[in-house]
């Protein structure tokens, strides 16, 4: 008998209730404290890209009122990730990555909430009340509470936030700077000794997948060979794996996509002149999803589809059937043009026409 889903659920209950002590479980028959609101628990099952059967139990934060406190929490941008990787190459730093297991549960919530466990949680918990103490996934403030907790940890390890890039942290090591970039529970570190950094994190968090990253935020991370000054190889980012995982989902939604296209859009197609039928709500939602996927491919280095993605994005409010055909065309092109990479060449840029800049009145723009 296949018990993978049940095993994943029981593991989640063990971690949520006992390992992280997310709830203060009251005695059977006890009443919830005054001023606390009941929320449901929602169980989400998913197959991860590596085939793992994953279960996540989340709080029904959708039933709670908007909190009065600040809930804003930023994440690192792909532009900032490229800066960190460039600086790592430039300064001979080693890049490692890792995930914080059940990251949100390290924070402490300030929301006054409780749950009632049902029979699925076993006879020991069934019918009892649990006061939410940790920043449970699904609550409106949980992301902010986790960000605060991680920020406190990094400051205690002598890291300081970059003033130029959200969620990039820096450390002055005397001869060089080292860097950490954070996207929720995904952490990458560019350091002379990243293993030491992750060992220190592991004293506070349950870390997973620590080591040289092969995949980060949808991007494939690799080394490419070539002549790069004193180096014979360098770091490269690619959308290849993201495209490979994305195409089947698009074909499930739109039907099979041809791979015979040599351009990302039909050169004769004018989307602004399209008078085909308007899409319904379902097709419009699928169109938004497809455009979002194309935009992320561009972020990961798919510059060859940037123009196509930009012009098709303009019709998200009211797409037509012809626009969906154009989106399918773009994915058909990506099916056989997915190998493009961003290569981090850190050699100084030599500008041949330096005399072109002589005599220009830069003071008009930059003052003194």
């Amino acid at each position: 008998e296949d018990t993978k889903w049940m095993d994943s659920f029981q593991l989640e209950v063990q971690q949520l209730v006992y390992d992280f002590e997310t709830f203060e479980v009251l005695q059977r028959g006890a009443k919830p404290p005054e001023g606390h609101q009941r929320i449901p628990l929602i169980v989400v099952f998913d197959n991860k890209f590596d085939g793992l059967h994953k279960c996540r139990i989340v709080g029904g934060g959708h039933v709670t009122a908007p909190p009065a406190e600040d809930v804003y929490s930023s994440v690192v941008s792909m532009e900032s990730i490229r800066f960190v990787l460039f600086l790592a190459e430039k300064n001979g730093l080693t890049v490692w990555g890792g995930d914080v297991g059940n990251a949100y549960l390290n924070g402490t919530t300030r929301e006054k909430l409780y749950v009632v466990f049902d029979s699925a949680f076993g006879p020991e918990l069934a019918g009892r009340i649990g006061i939410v103490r940790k920043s449970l996934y699904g609550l409106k403030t949980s992301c902010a509470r986790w960000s605060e907790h991680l920020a406190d940890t990094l400051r205690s390890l002598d890291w300081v936030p970059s003033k130029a890039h959200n969620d990039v942290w820096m450390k002055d090591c005397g001869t060089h700077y080292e860097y950490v970039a954070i996207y929720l529970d995904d952490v990458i570190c560019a350091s002379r000794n990243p293993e030491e950094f992750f060992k220190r994190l592991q004293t506070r968090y349950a870390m997973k997948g620590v080591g040289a990253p092969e995949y980060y935020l949808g991007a494939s991370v690799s080394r490419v060979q070539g002549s790069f000054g004193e180096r014979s190889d360098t770091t490269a980012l690619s959308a290849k794996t993201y495209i490979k995982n994305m195409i089947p989902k698009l074909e499930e939604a739109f039907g099979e996509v041809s791979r015979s296209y040599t351009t990302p859009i039909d050169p004769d197609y004018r989307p602004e002149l399209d008078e085909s039928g308007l899409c319904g709500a379902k097709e419009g939602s699928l169109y938004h999803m497809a455009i979002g996927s194309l935009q992320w491919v561009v972020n990961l280095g798919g510059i060859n589809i940037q123009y196509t993605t930009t012009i098709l994005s303009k019709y998200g409010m009211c797409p037509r059937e012809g626009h969906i055909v154009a989106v399918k065309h773009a994915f058909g092109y990506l099916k056989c043009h997915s190998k493009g990479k961003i290569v981090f060449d850190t050699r100084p840029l030599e500008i041949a026409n330096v005399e072109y800049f002589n005599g220009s009145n830069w003071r008009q723009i930059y003052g003194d």
Side-chain angles (χ1 to χ4, degrees):
E1 183 180 0
D2 188 348
T3 63
K4 291 179 180 177
W5 290 120
M6 179 56 71
D7 293 344
S8 67
F9 174 77
Q10 291 175 345
L11 175 61
E12 177 72 357
V13 172
Q14 173 65 36
Q15 293 181 332
L16 194 69
V17 179
Y18 300 105
D19 296 347
F20 284 89
E21 299 180 338
T22 307
F23 308 98
E24 178 188 342
V25 182
L26 304 185
Q27 295 294 326
R28 194 172 300 281
K31 302 295 183 181
E34 187 177 349
H36 282 60
Q37 178 183 355
R38 180 176 176 176
I39 60 169
L41 287 177
I42 301 165
V43 183
V44 182
F45 295 97
D46 187 29
N47 272 123
K48 306 291 280 188
F49 71 90
D50 57 1
L52 176 70
H53 288 65
K54 177 66 176 176
C55 172
R56 176 75 75 189
I57 299 174
V58 303
H62 62 289
V63 305
T64 63
E69 60 191 287
D70 184 17
V71 299
Y72 174 75
S73 179
S74 61
V75 293
V76 70
S77 68
M78 186 52 68
E79 179 186 31
S80 298
I81 294 296
R82 292 196 288 266
F83 269 107
V84 169
L85 294 178
F86 179 89
L87 291 168
E89 278 300 326
K90 182 70 175 174
N91 297 309
L93 307 178
T94 301
V95 177
W96 274 26
D99 295 345
V100 181
N102 290 297
Y104 282 19
L105 303 184
N106 291 281
T108 301
T109 189
R110 295 196 283 270
E111 297 185 63
K112 295 182 178 181
L113 306 170
Y114 74 94
V115 303
V116 178
F117 298 107
D118 63 21
S119 58
F121 286 81
E124 174 64 24
L125 292 173
R128 297 173 68 180
I129 288 174
I131 307 300
V132 182
R133 296 303 186 200
K134 296 294 185 67
S135 47
L136 178 65
Y137 284 86
L139 304 186
K140 290 184 171 72
T141 62
S142 291
C143 186
R145 300 293 80 79
W146 156 242
S147 294
E148 291 170 356
H149 194 280
L150 182 57
D152 289 342
T153 297
L154 291 174
R155 286 190 178 93
S156 72
L157 298 176
D158 300 324
W159 294 84
V160 296
S162 165
K163 295 180 180 178
H165 296 273
N166 284 340
D167 296 279
V168 173
W169 293 71
M170 306 165 60
K171 178 183 280 190
D172 186 349
C173 297
T175 59
H176 65 284
Y177 279 92
E178 297 187 344
Y179 306 90
V180 168
I182 310 293
Y183 192 102
L184 295 180
D185 57 356
D186 288 329
V187 181
I188 63 168
C189 176
S191 169
R192 296 277 169 85
N193 187 5
E195 182 178 6
E196 177 61 25
F197 169 76
F198 279 103
K199 281 183 178 178
R200 298 186 74 178
L201 274 194
Q202 284 171 326
T203 64
R204 308 185 185 207
Y205 305 122
M207 301 299 301
K208 302 180 296 182
V210 174
E214 297 180 358
Y215 193 74
Y216 189 74
L217 301 186
S220 300
V221 184
S222 61
R223 303 291 296 179
V224 294
Q225 304 297 314
S227 177
F228 301 99
E230 299 178 356
R231 298 188 181 91
S232 60
D233 65 350
T234 190
T235 300
L237 288 182
S238 166
K240 183 177 181 180
T241 303
Y242 180 78
I243 293 170
K244 179 182 176 181
N245 294 334
M246 176 185 61
I247 292 293
K249 297 179 181 179
L250 265 296
E251 290 187 322
E252 184 179 339
F254 292 112
E256 187 175 357
V257 175
S258 171
R259 61 184 303 141
S260 61
Y261 301 116
T262 57
T263 60
I265 193 170
D266 184 341
D268 297 324
Y269 178 59
R270 298 288 296 275
E272 71 275 15
L273 301 180
D274 194 315
E275 295 183 348
S276 59
L278 294 172
C279 294
K282 179 180 178 181
E283 291 77 14
S285 178
L286 292 174
Y287 186 82
H288 292 160
M289 184 220 11
I291 291 296
S293 297
L294 290 175
Q295 289 172 335
W296 196 244
V297 170
V298 174
N299 257 323
L300 300 182
I303 307 302
N304 48 345
I305 65 163
Q306 183 169 9
Y307 172 75
T308 296
T309 303
T310 300
I311 61 171
L312 292 179
S313 297
K314 294 166 61 178
Y315 306 99
M317 289 296 294
C318 195
R320 295 181 177 272
E321 294 169 358
H323 298 142
I324 287 186
V325 172
V327 162
K328 292 177 66 175
H329 184 121
F331 282 107
Y333 170 81
L334 285 175
K335 255 189 169 181
C336 48
H337 296 83
S338 62
K339 297 180 180 179
K341 293 182 173 70
I342 296 179
V343 176
F344 292 85
D345 185 350
T346 62
R347 290 174 294 176
L349 182 64
E350 295 183 5
I351 302 176
N353 275 333
V354 176
E355 65 274 8
Y356 174 81
F357 297 97
N358 292 339
S360 297
N361 183 13
W362 298 110
R363 195 169 289 180
Q364 179 180 346
I365 299 174
Y366 295 107
D368 57 0

